Amino acid sequence: MIFIGNVIWFVFGGLLSAIAWWITGLLWCITVVGIPFGKQFFKIAKVALMPFGAKVVRKHYL
């Protein structure tokens, strides 16, 4: 079911959503201050392509 859900999502808007997040990330990466935000937009674009079955986990750095 995860595969079917991802295929339907990809066809009906997931690709356009990921492209929009990717372009937004590129625009934010133009300035030095915006690079951390741009990197996060690229992560969101990755999840926007295949959201079903994806896990978003917070990492703790020591």
Side-chain angles (χ1 to χ4, degrees):
M1 290 303 290
I2 291 173
F3 177 75
I4 294 170
N6 280 330
V7 169
I8 292 171
W9 174 259
F10 186 81
V11 171
F12 290 109
L15 180 62
L16 293 175
S17 176
I19 290 172
W21 282 113
W22 196 75
I23 290 171
T24 305
L26 283 176
L27 291 174
W28 273 91
C29 285
I30 290 173
T31 65
V32 175
V33 176
I35 290 175
F37 295 102
K39 288 172 63 176
Q40 298 305 315
F41 288 134
F42 293 137
K43 291 178 187 177
I44 294 172
K46 184 175 155 185
V47 174
L49 279 177
M50 303 290 177
F52 298 104
K55 293 183 181 180
V56 179
V57 181
R58 183 176 187 173
K59 293 183 181 180
H60 296 282
Y61 297 102
L62 297 173

